[in-house]
């Protein structure tokens, strides 16, 4: 915010006939930004390493969507599944893409309200992950991790 700019605040009661006194206490804090932005388009996706360190970032502003790119350079083992998960106190949703094709999505498959996708890749190349908050009016911090998990037949 800039002290030379004018901002308008609309205040109203819950119902159309609500009247009464109220107090307004405006307070503004400087937002330093997310060091990983911009990553809110597929073209600006950040690299997410499988078995690498997780990426800690934020969904700010509230309608933010973060994109990550996962590169598969070798044909995956038939019993290998890619697990991508968010870790946070907020309710995340996640979608996995191969090109423009949505191949998997999840809302609450991880711990608490975190998203988790478990997918057996069939192709090499670049997969894209889109992360958002379930409620587009919310914001917060999260971490995203990618791991291989193995499933063996009985």
């Amino acid at each position: 915010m800039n002290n030379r700019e004018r901002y308008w605040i609309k205040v109203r009661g819950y119902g159309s006939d609500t009247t009464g006194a109220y107090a307004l206490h405006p307070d503004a804090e400087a937002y330093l930004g997310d060091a990983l932005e911009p990553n809110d388009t597929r073209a600006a996706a950040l690299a997410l390493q499988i078995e690498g360190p997780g990426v800690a970032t934020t969904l700010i502003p509230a309608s933010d969507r973060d994109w990550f790119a996962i590169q598969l350079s070798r044909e995956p083992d038939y019993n290998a599944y890619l697990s991508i998960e968010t870790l946070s106190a907020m309710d995340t949703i996640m979608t996995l893409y191969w090109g423009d094709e949505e191949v998997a999505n999840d809302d609450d498959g991880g711990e608490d309200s975190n998203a988790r996708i478990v997918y057996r890749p069939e192709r090499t190349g670049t997969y894209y992950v889109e992360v958002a908050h379930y409620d587009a009016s919310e914001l917060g911090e999260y971490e995203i991790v990618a791991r291989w998990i193995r499933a063996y037949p009985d």
Side-chain angles (χ1 to χ4, degrees):
M1 295 181 122
N2 182 327
N3 63 0
R4 294 178 177 217
E5 295 177 358
R6 180 179 293 184
Y7 296 90
W8 298 98
I9 300 172
K10 182 178 183 176
V11 179
R12 63 179 178 86
Y14 182 73
S16 61
D17 60 346
T18 304
T19 62
Y22 66 92
L24 182 63
H25 304 278
D27 186 19
E29 294 181 23
Y31 171 61
L32 301 177
D34 182 347
L36 301 180
E37 290 290 349
N39 68 328
D40 42 3
T41 65
R42 186 180 314 206
L46 297 173
L48 179 61
Q49 302 298 319
I50 302 172
E51 304 296 342
V55 176
T57 188
T58 58
L59 289 171
I60 296 177
S63 60
D64 189 19
R65 295 183 168 295
D66 288 344
W67 285 82
F68 300 89
I70 298 175
Q71 185 66 38
L72 294 182
S73 57
R74 63 174 175 78
E75 195 67 33
D77 180 305
Y78 182 76
N79 294 321
Y81 288 79
L82 180 60
S83 173
I84 309 161
E85 186 169 9
T86 59
L87 308 169
S88 74
M90 65 180 181
D91 188 357
T92 54
I93 57 174
M94 186 167 37
T95 307
L96 179 66
Y97 296 90
W98 165 259
D100 291 331
E101 176 189 354
E102 179 181 320
V103 295
N105 65 61
D106 186 73
D107 179 8
D108 294 331
E111 191 173 317
D112 296 324
S113 295
N114 285 284
R116 181 177 188 217
I117 291 176
V118 177
Y119 177 76
R120 192 176 80 70
E122 300 172 355
R123 302 169 269 206
T124 60
T126 305
Y127 287 80
Y128 293 94
V129 181
E130 179 186 26
V131 178
H133 194 289
Y134 177 78
D135 179 350
S137 68
E138 296 290 325
L139 50 90
E141 300 174 345
Y142 71 98
E143 182 178 3
I144 184 169
V145 295
R147 305 271 184 260
W148 286 114
I149 56 175
R150 305 241 180 253
Y152 297 100
D154 292 335

